[in-house]
Amino acid sequence: MASSPSRNPARLPSDLVATIFEFSGLAIHQIMQLGISSRFVSQDVLSKMTGFVVWRTKDLDVPTARKLLNMDKITSISIGCLIKLAESSVSAQHYDVETSHRIPFFISLFPNLERVFIGGTCRLPVLATYEPYRCSSPADHREYHHGLLWALCGAFRTGVLSQGLEIEGLVYSGIYCLWNRDQDEPESCTFCNAVLRHFPIPMIIKYAVRSR
């Protein structure tokens, strides 16, 4: 007598599926949408993920992250919504202010975070970093970017962010007078000194090497 088909077909292990999701570059909102239709994804896969990509500002959402992800397991986050192409140009950047406001607290929720990329995409799938001289909007984008870096300085200083964390894409393009200080801009020098005091030393060394 022929055996009946299995009601539980074989499937890949959840940790392998989580790894595939991470290396495929699927955005976190796409993976969460899969979780809506798949209990396997929502209950088994999401809790095994160690990293994810964010392409939309609204996905820097604390309640959703706490509900669906294992916060202790996340070690890597790529945030690709801080900048995008400005509507007025094919090359100029637009700086997303709301994203800059959300980033510091959002990344501080992950206690074992080791790496964060903060930037955007001006031409998919190439990742881009904030470049103040290419950014055209809003007009006060530099002030907002300084605000983001000041917030990160405070997070490192108070221990909210670990000194073992490496932030890529942000620091290297956001410090303007660290090596060539303009005496007419004392605020910039104060800002750069704060970054030197509070950001992790390996990040500062890496920036110094890239700036020479």
Side-chain angles (χ1 to χ4, degrees):
M1 182 177 178
S3 60
S4 59
S6 172
R7 294 184 179 180
N8 297 308
R11 61 187 178 192
L12 294 174
S14 57
D15 54 349
L16 178 57
V17 176
T19 301
I20 292 173
F21 282 170
E22 292 171 23
F23 279 92
S24 68
L26 282 175
I28 190 62
H29 73 274
Q30 296 171 316
I31 297 172
M32 289 180 175
Q33 286 171 356
L34 291 174
I36 295 175
S37 58
S38 170
R39 182 176 297 181
F40 171 64
V41 173
S42 62
Q43 295 186 353
D44 297 327
V45 176
L46 284 171
S47 63
K48 302 291 178 61
M49 294 185 64
T50 60
F52 59 90
V53 180
V54 179
W55 294 120
R56 307 186 308 183
T57 300
K58 66 180 182 181
D59 294 320
L60 295 168
D61 183 69
V62 173
T64 302
R66 282 178 169 162
K67 179 180 178 181
L68 297 176
L69 299 172
N70 183 341
M71 310 295 276
D72 293 332
K73 200 170 180 64
I74 299 297
T75 60
S76 175
I77 301 174
S78 293
I79 299 173
C81 48
L82 181 66
I83 60 168
K84 59 184 179 181
L85 279 178
E87 294 181 358
S88 59
S89 172
V90 296
S91 60
Q93 295 179 348
H94 169 78
Y95 190 89
D96 193 278
V97 175
E98 184 178 352
T99 296
S100 71
H101 290 165
R102 292 187 180 213
I103 286 173
F105 184 70
F106 184 80
I107 65 175
S108 72
L109 297 174
F110 302 90
N112 298 313
L113 199 57
E114 299 173 357
R115 175 194 170 275
V116 178
F117 172 83
I118 301 177
T121 55
C122 287
R123 285 186 176 82
L124 288 171
V126 179
L127 292 172
T129 59
Y130 166 66
E131 299 178 47
Y133 297 103
R134 287 186 57 205
C135 192
S136 62
S137 62
D140 50 356
H141 58 88
R142 291 195 183 199
E143 285 74 15
Y144 285 115
H145 193 66
H146 275 197
L148 171 57
L149 288 175
W150 274 117
L152 292 172
C153 280
F156 280 119
R157 183 179 185 180
T158 58
V160 173
L161 292 179
S162 167
Q163 285 290 315
L165 174 64
E166 180 178 5
I167 300 179
E168 298 179 1
L170 186 63
V171 176
Y172 312 128
S173 57
I175 304 177
Y176 315 116
C177 65
L178 190 56
W179 310 114
N180 301 298
R181 292 189 171 123
D182 185 344
Q183 298 302 318
D184 295 329
E185 298 185 21
E187 286 191 15
S188 294
C189 290
T190 301
F191 163 74
C192 290
N193 283 329
V195 172
L196 277 174
R197 288 196 306 270
H198 304 310
F199 271 75
I201 292 176
M203 290 176 58
I204 298 300
I205 293 175
K206 187 175 291 187
Y207 174 75
V209 171
R210 294 184 183 183
S211 299
R212 295 304 184 184

